C-alpha cells in the first residue's frame, strides 16, 4: 500500500504466534473485504479479531454492544455490510464456516464497537446477508425534476401497500445512496424511477445505479419507472441496468408522458399491486 519494504513476519492460514500467555491463530479470509484480509483468534480469551467483518461505523465512548443496545449496533452493522461487504457474500460464507467452529466470547472488529452480548444474533444476520436473504418489503428510489416521477412513485407505493407490502420510499434529493443501501439490504422488491433528461436518466439516478450495481445485491425483483416528454430513455435505461444485474424483472417499465393523469395513476397503482403480489410469492 505504501510501497515500502518493512520487516514483517508473514503469516498464513493455520499459522500460530505464541506471545507467552496468549496465542494468536490466523485464518486468511480473502476479499472480506480486501485481498489480504485475515481473521485472528486468541483461544485463551475466546476472542475473535475479524478485521472488517462484523464492523460498523460507530465511534462512541461506549466500547461494547450491550452498552449501546442491539438496535443501534445492528443498524450500523447492516449499513456497513450493505456499503462495504455486500459484494463478497460467497467469501463471507466461507469465513463463517471457520468462525462457526470457534468458541467465541467476544468479537472485536477493526471498525466500531466490540460484540459480546449479541454474538449469535450478529452471526445469524451475517449468514442471512451473505445469502442475499430479504424481507417481503419494497424499496422505491427515484428522482424527479418537476414531480411527475414522484407522483408515479407515490401511486406505486399505494398499490404495494394495498396488498400488504411495507414500502420505503427514498428520494435521491434527500437521501444519500449509502443510506439507501441499508434498505436495499432487506428489500425483496427494488423499484427505481427517473424522468428523462437529454435522452437518458437523471444523473442522480445513474450515480445511484452505478453504486448499487458495484455492490452486487442478488435475488431481487426490479422495476423501472419514470416520466418523459418525447423519447422516454430514462426509465428504459434504468430497466437495462436492473436487467444487467441479473434481477428478475416481473413487469415492463412504466413510462408516462409528462404529468400523469388520474387514469394513468390508477394503472400505476394496479401495477404496484401486481408487483406486490409477486414480491409476496
Ligand atoms: C432540460 C430538459 C431536458 C429534457 N430532455 C428530455 C429528453 O431528452 N427526452 C424526453 O423524453 N424528455 C425530456 N425532457 C422532458 C421531461 O422528461 C418531462 O418533462 C418529464 O415529465 C419530467 O418528469 P419529472 O417531473 O419527473 O422530472 C426534458 C426536460 C428538461 C427540463
Amino acid at each position: 500500500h505504501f510501497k515500502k519494504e518493512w520487516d514483517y513476519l508473514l503469516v498464513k492460514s493455520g499459522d500460530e504466534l505464541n506471545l507467552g500467555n496468549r496465542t494468536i491463530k490466523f485464518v486468511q479470509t480473502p476479499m472480506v473485504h480486501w485481498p489480504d484480509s485475515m481473521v485472528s483468534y486468541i483461544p485463551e480469551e475466546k476472542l475473535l479479531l475479524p478485521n472488517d467483518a462484523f464492523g460498523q461505523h460507530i465511534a462512541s465512548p461506549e466500547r461494547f454492544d450491550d452498552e449501546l443496545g442491539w438496535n443501534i449496533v445492528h443498524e450500523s452493522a447492516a449499513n456497513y455490510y450493505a456499503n462495504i461487504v455486500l459484494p463478497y457474500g460467497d467469501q463471507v460464507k466461507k469465513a463463517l464456516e471457520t468462525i462457526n467452529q470457534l468458541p467465541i466470547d467476544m468479537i472485536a472488529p477493526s471498525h466500531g464497537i466490540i460484540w459480546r452480548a449479541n454474538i449469535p444474533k450478529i452471526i445469524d444476520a451475517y449468514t442471512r446477508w451473505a445469502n442475499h436473504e430479504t424481507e417481503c418489503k419494497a424499496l422505491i428510489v427515484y428522482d424527479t425534476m418537476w414531480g411527475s416521477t414522484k407522483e408515479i412513485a407515490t401511486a406505486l407505493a399505494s398499490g404495494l401497500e394495498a396488498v400488504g407490502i411495507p414500502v420505503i420510499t427514498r428520494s435521491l434529493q434527500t437521501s444519500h445512496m449509502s443510506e439507501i443501501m441499508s434498505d436495499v439490504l432487506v428489500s425483496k422488491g427494488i423499484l427505481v424511477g427517473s424522468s428523462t433528461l437529454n435522452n437518458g436518466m437523471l444523473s442522480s439516478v445513474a450515480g445511484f445505479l452505478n453504486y448499487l450495481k458495484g455492490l452486487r445485491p442478488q435475488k431481487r425483483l426490479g422495476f423501472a419507472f419514470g416520466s418523459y416528454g418525447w423519447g422516454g430513455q430514462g426509465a428504459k435505461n434504468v430497466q437495462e441496468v436492473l436487467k444487467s444485474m441479473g434481477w428478475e424483472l416481473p413487469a415492463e417499465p412504466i413510462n408516462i408522458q409528462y404529468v400523469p393523469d388520474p387514469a394513468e395513476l390508477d394503472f400505476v397503482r394496479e401495477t404496484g399491486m401486481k408487483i406486490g403480489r409477486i414480491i409476496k410469492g
Side-chain angles (χ1 to χ4, degrees):
H1 189 269
F2 293 106
K3 299 174 184 124
K4 287 184 184 156
E5 287 297 321
W6 278 316
D7 186 18
Y8 280 131
L9 171 68
L10 292 179
V11 290
K12 56 184 184 319
S13 282
D15 285 355
E16 287 188 23
L17 187 64
N18 192 331
L19 301 178
N21 291 334
R22 308 271 185 286
T23 320
I24 308 180
K25 296 184 173 194
F26 302 99
V27 181
Q28 285 165 283
T29 52
M31 295 319 297
V32 185
H33 82 113
W34 281 39
D36 50 353
S37 289
M38 183 171 263
V39 167
S40 310
Y41 179 66
I42 301 180
E44 294 84 355
E45 306 283 350
K46 298 193 178 86
L47 169 62
L48 184 74
L49 304 163
N51 190 199
D52 283 327
F54 309 112
Q56 341 87 38
H57 284 137
I58 293 179
S60 71
E62 291 83 7
R63 289 286 172 268
F64 299 98
D65 56 342
D66 47 292
E67 293 169 343
L68 276 176
W70 164 254
N71 287 348
I72 290 173
V73 190
H74 169 257
E75 188 179 325
S76 185
N79 183 260
Y80 184 97
Y81 188 96
N83 284 280
I84 291 171
V85 191
L86 185 55
Y88 309 114
D90 288 343
Q91 291 86 340
V92 170
K93 279 193 258 179
K94 271 194 167 175
L96 287 171
E97 279 172 24
T98 307
I99 289 167
N100 281 331
Q101 290 168 13
L102 302 170
I104 298 172
D105 281 347
M106 220 180 267
I107 299 178
S110 306
H111 304 271
I113 61 127
I114 298 166
W115 299 93
R116 67 178 178 188
N118 295 286
I119 290 170
K121 276 166 95 173
I122 190 61
I123 289 180
D124 180 57
Y126 257 65
T127 308
R128 279 184 281 110
W129 297 335
N131 284 302
H132 298 271
E133 283 176 29
T134 50
E135 296 164 28
C136 267
K137 276 185 179 170
L139 165 66
I140 301 178
V141 184
Y142 72 94
D143 201 357
T144 179
M145 293 184 282
W146 300 321
S148 291
T149 303
K150 181 180 181 178
E151 282 191 43
I152 303 171
T154 306
L156 282 169
S158 161
L160 286 155
E161 280 167 355
V163 295
I165 299 290
V167 182
I168 308 157
T169 304
R170 296 281 202 176
S171 159
L172 285 161
Q173 291 175 18
T174 49
S175 293
H176 192 268
M177 54 184 139
S178 65
E179 197 185 340
I180 297 174
M181 282 312 300
S182 287
D183 304 323
V184 170
L185 188 65
V186 295
S187 301
K188 174 81 184 163
I190 317 268
L191 296 79
V192 182
S194 173
S195 44
T196 299
L197 173 75
N198 302 333
N199 297 322
M201 58 180 126
L202 298 177
S203 59
S204 55
V205 180
F208 167 70
L209 287 174
N210 189 46
Y211 189 61
L212 178 73
K213 190 174 174 179
L215 289 165
R216 299 203 297 264
Q218 295 164 25
K219 301 185 193 168
R220 303 302 200 279
L221 292 170
F223 181 73
F225 64 95
S227 171
Y228 72 102
W230 47 96
Q233 295 89 338
K236 289 179 203 161
N237 289 359
V238 170
Q239 171 93 346
E240 276 165 25
V241 179
L242 299 181
K243 199 172 175 186
S244 74
M245 292 171 62
W247 291 4
E248 200 181 320
L249 303 175
E252 284 301 306
I254 282 186
N255 224 348
I256 291 180
Q257 194 171 28
Y258 295 119
V259 180
D261 65 24
E264 285 168 326
L265 287 176
D266 280 348
F267 171 72
V268 174
R269 191 169 181 275
E270 273 163 31
T271 306
M273 292 168 76
K274 184 177 147 192
I275 296 168
R277 288 190 199 100
I278 297 170
I279 291 173
K280 274 185 165 175

